[in-house]
Amino acid sequence: MKLARFFFFIFGIVTLTLGVALTLKANLGAGPWDALTAGAARTFGFTVGTWVIINGVVLLFVNAYLLQERPQFLAGITFVLIGLLVDFWLLKVLGDWQPQGIILRAGVLLAGVALLAFGISMYLQSQYPVNPIDNLMIALHKRFHVNLMVAKTVAEISALVFAVLLKGPIGAGTLIVAFTIGPLIQLSYQPLHQLLQRFGS
C-alpha cells in the first residue's frame, strides 16, 4: 500500500503540473492561483515555478495562523516538487511552443484542466502532505465556520484579486477552470480511490 500511495503521489503531481503548464500555454486565461503565479513572475521576475514555491511558503504560515497550529513544514515537499515540475514542463519540455488558433488553444486548455483535475485527485489519494493552496480551504472552513464551498470560493476570489493586480493571464479560461475543476476532481476521485485500494490489496 505504501508503494502504491507513493506512486499516486508522484504520478499525480507530474500530471497536475503538466495540466498547469498547458492551461498557461493555451493563453486563454488560467485558474486564479496559476494566474497569480504567472502574474508575479511577469511583474517581479523569477520563474512561475519559483512563485509556486514562494506562495506555498506564505500560505504555509497563513494556514498555520488560521488554524492556530504549527506550520505543516512537510507540505514543503509537495509545493517544492510542484514548483520544480511546473518549470520543467514550461521551460524544458514545452519551451517556446505556443499553440496557434482558437480551436487548438481551446483544446490545449481543456486538456490542461482535465489533467489538472485528474492529477489533484490522484495525489490527494496518497494522503501525503497537502499543498497549502488546497489546505487553505480547510483552514478557512475551520477558522470561520463556513462551509467548504464558501471557503473555496473565498480562497479563489482572493487569488483572483491578486492575479488581476499583478496582470496575470485572466480570461475565459479562468472561468472554465473555476467552474469545472471541482466537478472534475469529484468525478475522478472515487474511481482513483478504488484503483488505489486494488493496488494496495
Side-chain angles (χ1 to χ4, degrees), residues 1 4-5 7-8 11 118 122 125 188-201:
M1 178 65 84
R5 290 191 186 282
F7 172 80
F8 269 56
F11 191 79
F118 184 85
M122 195 167 198
Q125 302 287 341
S188 57
Y189 191 87
Q190 192 59 34
L192 284 170
H193 179 71
Q194 294 172 351
L195 183 62
L196 177 62
Q197 296 303 312
R198 202 171 304 136
F199 268 129
S201 60

Side-chain angles (χ1 to χ4, degrees), residues 64-179:
Y65 172 76
L66 290 172
L67 294 169
Q68 297 295 293
E69 298 174 352
R70 293 177 61 186
Q72 298 179 8
F73 291 113
L74 282 177
I77 298 170
T78 304
F79 64 72
V80 167
L81 189 56
I82 290 174
L84 292 174
L85 283 170
V86 165
D87 277 350
F88 170 74
W89 291 117
L90 285 175
L91 303 177
K92 301 295 184 182
V93 178
L94 300 177
D96 295 327
W97 175 70
Q98 189 62 53
Q100 301 296 321
I102 189 64
I103 294 176
L104 178 57
R105 290 165 62 200
V108 170
L109 174 69
L110 294 176
V113 174
L115 288 170
L116 180 58
F118 184 85
I120 290 172
S121 255
M122 195 167 198
Y123 107 88
L124 288 176
Q125 302 287 341
S126 71
Q127 298 181 359
Y128 277 44
V130 177
N131 186 26
I133 289 174
D134 299 319
N135 201 34
L136 178 60
M137 174 183 67
I138 305 299
L140 290 169
H141 162 67
K142 289 183 177 179
R143 180 63 184 270
F144 298 108
H145 308 290
V146 295
N147 64 41
L148 290 175
M149 184 179 70
V150 171
K152 182 64 172 174
T153 301
V154 169
E156 294 296 307
I157 290 175
S158 300
L160 184 60
V161 168
F162 282 108
V164 170
L165 292 175
L166 294 173
K167 299 180 180 178
I170 304 296
T174 306
L175 295 177
I176 292 172
V177 173
F179 284 105

